[in-house]
């Protein structure tokens, strides 16, 4: 481990929080709202989305503690371990509390809405998310890490929220799950290239370590493009022509901008958010104006 990284100053919690990164958990909830053809259970959907955010926060903390222990991401200034003054145990407990709180909230939502059957596929994926950082050789340090990410955010997050919102299983749900599996993996890959050297030294066999930065950025762009394409097709099947047209045009624009600027987590989340905001505006503004 590069112990010199521990000599960097501690930071405040709001510097490590990075609210934008939680859009990867919020956008699936917005996508369910946008793409559902039948009435949705709003209270269950948004409460469940908040539970997913808590789960992601806990997993982010566990990821930071594992990286700190194994020596990866040593250049990461906004590590949650720094918030806790380099105390790995405190950061771990913080992550565990968030993870348990999110899990209890999720269970409560399913119980109150008589949807405990969703646990049949959601619980194994939550366990998979925990294994992403657990043990001496977590999944995030292997070639299985990107597959775990895709499963957790595709079938896990989008699929779970889709069913919590009382939407039926069909091609829209399958397209949405595939889209967010691709989207989350694109986000993961866009994050990896700047950390190749420290990841390699720590034994983290990430996609970028295996294939290099150029291919990683290219695949990230392809995956983002695929996710936007799948969501656009789903939007055409569930929404009016204006909303679907706006979604398609803004999605094409976001893909072109990403190809021009190159992917990184901030851009991917910013461009995707712009697509959803524009589409929701097209869906609701005509009703408000007329």
């Amino acid at each position: 481990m590069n112990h010199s990284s521990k000599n960097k100053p501690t930071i405040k919690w709001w510097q490590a929080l990075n609210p934008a990164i939680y859009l990867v958990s919020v956008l699936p909830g917005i996508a369910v709202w946008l793409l559902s053809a039948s009435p949705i259970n709003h209270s269950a959907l948004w409460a469940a989305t908040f539970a997913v955010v808590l789960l992601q926060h806990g997993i982010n903390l566990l990821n930071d503690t594992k990286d700190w222990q194994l020596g990866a991401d040593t250049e990461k200034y906004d590590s949650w371990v720094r918030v806790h003054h380099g105390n790995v145990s405190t950061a771990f407990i913080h992550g565990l509390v968030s993870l348990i709180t999110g899990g209890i909230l999720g269970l409560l939502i399913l119980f109150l809405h008589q949807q405990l059957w969703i646990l049949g596929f959601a619980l194994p994926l939550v366990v998979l998310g925990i294994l992403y950082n657990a043990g001496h050789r977590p999944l995030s340090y292997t070639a299985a890490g990107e597959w775990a990410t895709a499963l957790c955010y595709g079938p896990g997050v989008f699929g779970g929220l889709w069913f919590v919102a009382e939407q039926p299983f069909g091609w829209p749900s399958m397209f949405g799950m595939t889209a967010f599996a691709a989207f989350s993996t694109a986000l993961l890959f866009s994050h990896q290239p700047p950390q190749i050297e420290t990841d390699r030294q720590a034994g983290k066999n990430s996609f970028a370590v295996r294939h290099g930065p150029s291919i990683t950025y290219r695949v990230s762009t392809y995956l983002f493009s695929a996710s936007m394409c799948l969501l656009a097709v789903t939007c055409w099947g569930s929404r009016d022509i204006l909303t679907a047209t706006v979604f398609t045009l803004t999605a094409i624009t976001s893909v072109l901008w990403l190809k021009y600027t190159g992917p990184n987590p901030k851009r991917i989340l910013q461009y995707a958010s712009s697509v959803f905001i524009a589409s929701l505006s097209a869906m609701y503004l005509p009703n408000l104006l007329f």
Side-chain angles (χ1 to χ4, degrees), residues 4-284:
S4 64
S5 65
K6 293 186 177 181
N7 295 326
K8 292 182 180 180
T10 57
I11 61 173
K12 302 299 182 181
W13 67 267
W14 59 84
Q15 295 172 290
L17 185 61
N18 190 11
I21 201 64
Y22 295 96
L23 284 170
V24 72
S25 293
V26 174
L27 289 179
I30 296 175
V32 170
W33 179 21
L34 178 67
L35 301 176
S36 57
S38 57
I40 64 175
N41 187 330
H42 281 280
S43 61
L45 173 63
W46 300 121
T49 300
F50 181 63
V52 171
V53 170
L54 290 174
L55 290 172
Q56 181 195 348
H57 180 61
I59 290 173
N60 286 349
L61 273 140
L62 297 183
N63 187 54
D64 280 357
T65 59
K66 180 58 64 174
D67 284 340
W68 188 273
Q69 290 173 324
L70 297 180
D73 283 1
T74 53
E75 75 287 353
K76 185 178 180 181
Y77 175 74
D78 57 350
S79 169
W80 279 97
V81 181
R82 298 191 189 284
V83 175
H84 295 290
H85 308 283
N87 191 318
V88 174
S89 297
T90 304
F92 177 82
I93 293 171
H94 179 173
L96 197 60
V97 168
S98 181
L99 204 64
I100 293 172
T101 304
I104 291 174
L105 177 58
L107 282 172
L108 182 61
I109 294 165
L110 297 182
F111 176 77
L112 291 176
H113 294 275
Q114 299 180 345
Q115 294 175 314
L116 289 174
W117 64 268
I118 294 176
L119 288 176
F121 74 90
L123 191 58
L125 293 174
V126 171
V127 173
L128 185 64
I130 294 172
L131 292 176
Y132 189 79
N133 299 297
H136 296 292
R137 185 68 173 171
L139 290 177
S140 62
Y141 280 68
T142 71
E146 52 259 29
W147 294 103
T149 299
L151 285 171
C152 287
Y153 279 97
V157 175
F158 179 85
L161 294 177
W162 182 266
F163 296 126
V164 164
E166 300 179 354
Q167 298 304 298
F169 179 76
W171 70 265
S173 61
M174 291 187 288
F175 273 35
M177 290 179 202
T178 306
F180 276 96
F183 179 81
S184 60
T185 309
L187 190 66
L188 174 67
F189 286 175
S190 72
H191 169 77
Q192 290 178 350
Q195 301 166 345
I196 286 178
E197 289 307 315
T198 52
D199 283 352
R200 182 180 287 117
Q201 292 170 11
K204 194 171 187 176
N205 194 26
S206 68
F207 188 89
V209 168
R210 302 195 309 273
H211 300 286
S214 179
I215 291 177
T216 303
Y217 282 134
R218 194 180 313 142
V219 173
S220 175
T221 303
Y222 291 158
L223 288 170
F224 177 79
S225 303
S227 70
M228 291 295 104
C229 180
L230 286 166
L231 292 173
V233 170
T234 309
C235 192
W236 277 99
S238 61
R239 286 297 169 191
D240 58 89
I241 293 176
L242 175 61
T243 303
T245 300
V246 169
F247 191 104
T248 302
L249 291 177
T250 52
I252 291 172
T253 303
S254 71
V255 168
L256 293 176
W257 268 109
L258 192 67
K259 288 184 176 180
Y260 176 74
T261 60
N264 66 32
K266 182 178 179 180
R267 288 173 188 149
I268 286 177
L269 291 168
Q270 178 183 355
Y271 295 161
S273 298
S274 299
V275 173
F276 284 110
I277 291 171
S279 302
L280 288 170
S281 298
M283 186 168 70
Y284 284 105

